[in-house]
Amino acid sequence: MTIAPVQRTASNAWTDAKLILALEEVVETELNRHLKVAKEWMPHEYVPWSQGRDFDGVLGGEAWSIEQSKITPLGRISLVVNLLTEDNLPSYHREIATMFGREGAWGTWVHRWTAEEGRHGIAIRDYLLATRAVDPVELERARMVHMSEGFESDNAHSMLQSVAYVAFQELATRISHRNTGHFAGDPLCDQLLAKIANDENLHMVFYRNLLKAALELAPDQAMRAIADVVTNFRMPGHGMPGFERSAVQIAVGGVYNLRIHHDDVLQPVLRHLKVMEIDGLGPDGARAQEELGVFLDGLHAQAVRFDERQAALLARRAANAARK
């Protein structure tokens, strides 16, 4: 099955301003759908407050030590990365409010999205501090460094690239939260991150459906945006302190890695949009589609090599543990 888009020439290509106006009705439809399916939940209900006690400092409580943490080392690393990523919400809000505006359906969505994202950081931090899962001093220092750097989107120059990016990124974030919960070693943490992951999934659906409408409206430009985003994708927390080292541990541990990125993030969105089946594109759109196909083949090959290295490393770890 192929999808035959309506063609537009370079002379009447869509500008960001025209696209935002043209997609306003789609945004309103998707916003209304989102508000109907989104379920209210309370972050405080997933925090075991009875486990909390004073830390050292002004209140003269007990200093933190690693033995107090009940979550797994992998869960701790991933939770900190996830929380620091959520902490940069003020910068993310600035980026999307600047791109999409603060009026009409676009503005209503921007503020609603920000409000829903805000509770993620609140809930994770409260959980981590109440359960003494992480060093509160190091966590705060990392937050200060990360937020002081701010955030500048790789896609701020293009409305279509911005929409394409969040369609993939929201799904990536959902999976990262969900897998972190699975590996954390605490059923309550798993429940909390399941709630957060559900929010992220609804955000992904909003942006994915918006990207679908953009593909129908401006197929060549949207295809180019998708290709550029996929081939240059990186998570928004890439600038946080120690991100590279943490990312390696998260990848080897199975929370988020090349295989997951290829199979569970890129492919589901691309298949839903039937991106590789779109026919009748202009020269630039067809070139972008071809580039995307080549990149995906290469990424799959990289994922295969990663799978092999991961299996070998985990086998060595298991053998070493058995000898001890």
Side-chain angles (χ1 to χ4, degrees), residues 34-111:
H34 176 85
L35 294 175
K36 287 179 181 178
V37 299
K39 290 182 170 41
E40 181 183 61
W41 64 277
M42 298 299 165
H44 71 272
E45 294 180 356
Y46 295 87
V47 178
W49 300 103
S50 61
Q51 296 180 27
R53 59 190 187 276
D54 295 343
F55 287 99
D56 59 330
V58 176
L59 297 179
E62 183 182 1
W64 183 85
S65 63
I66 189 69
E67 296 78 17
Q68 297 167 4
S69 177
K70 297 179 181 179
I71 62 174
T72 64
L74 176 60
R76 187 179 307 111
I77 292 167
S78 190
L79 278 162
V80 169
V81 169
N82 289 358
L83 175 55
L84 293 180
T85 299
E86 299 286 356
D87 277 335
N88 246 350
L89 180 60
S91 288
Y92 308 149
H93 175 84
R94 181 201 66 223
E95 292 284 325
I96 65 170
T98 300
M99 174 60 69
F100 300 143
R102 293 182 291 179
E103 304 298 330
W106 281 103
T108 303
W109 167 254
V110 166
H111 295 307

Side-chain angles (χ1 to χ4, degrees), residues 100 109 113 155 159-175 200-212 215 225-226 229-230 233 256 261 264-270 272-273 275:
F100 300 143
W109 167 254
W113 174 88
N155 307 289
M159 179 268 187
L160 282 175
Q161 282 194 204
S162 296
V163 171
Y165 176 75
V166 286
F168 295 105
Q169 182 266 323
E170 293 283 5
L171 181 53
T173 304
R174 169 197 178 271
I175 290 171
E200 304 289 7
N201 194 65
L202 292 179
H203 298 165
M204 179 276 294
V205 172
F206 177 95
Y207 288 119
R208 185 193 64 189
N209 292 351
L210 188 57
L211 183 57
K212 180 179 179 181
L215 271 167
I226 291 170
V229 164
V230 169
F233 184 90
Y256 198 91
H261 184 63
D264 301 332
V265 176
L266 298 183
Q267 290 292 357
V269 174
L270 294 172
H272 182 86
L273 298 175
V275 168

Side-chain angles (χ1 to χ4, degrees), residues 1-2 223 267 270-271 273-279 288-294 296:
M1 175 181 177
T2 60
M223 185 66 73
Q267 290 292 357
L270 294 172
R271 281 197 300 266
L273 298 175
K274 297 182 171 61
V275 168
M276 302 310 295
E277 300 174 36
I278 295 177
D279 200 2
Q289 188 182 51
E290 181 180 359
E291 291 171 8
L292 182 60
V294 171
L296 291 171

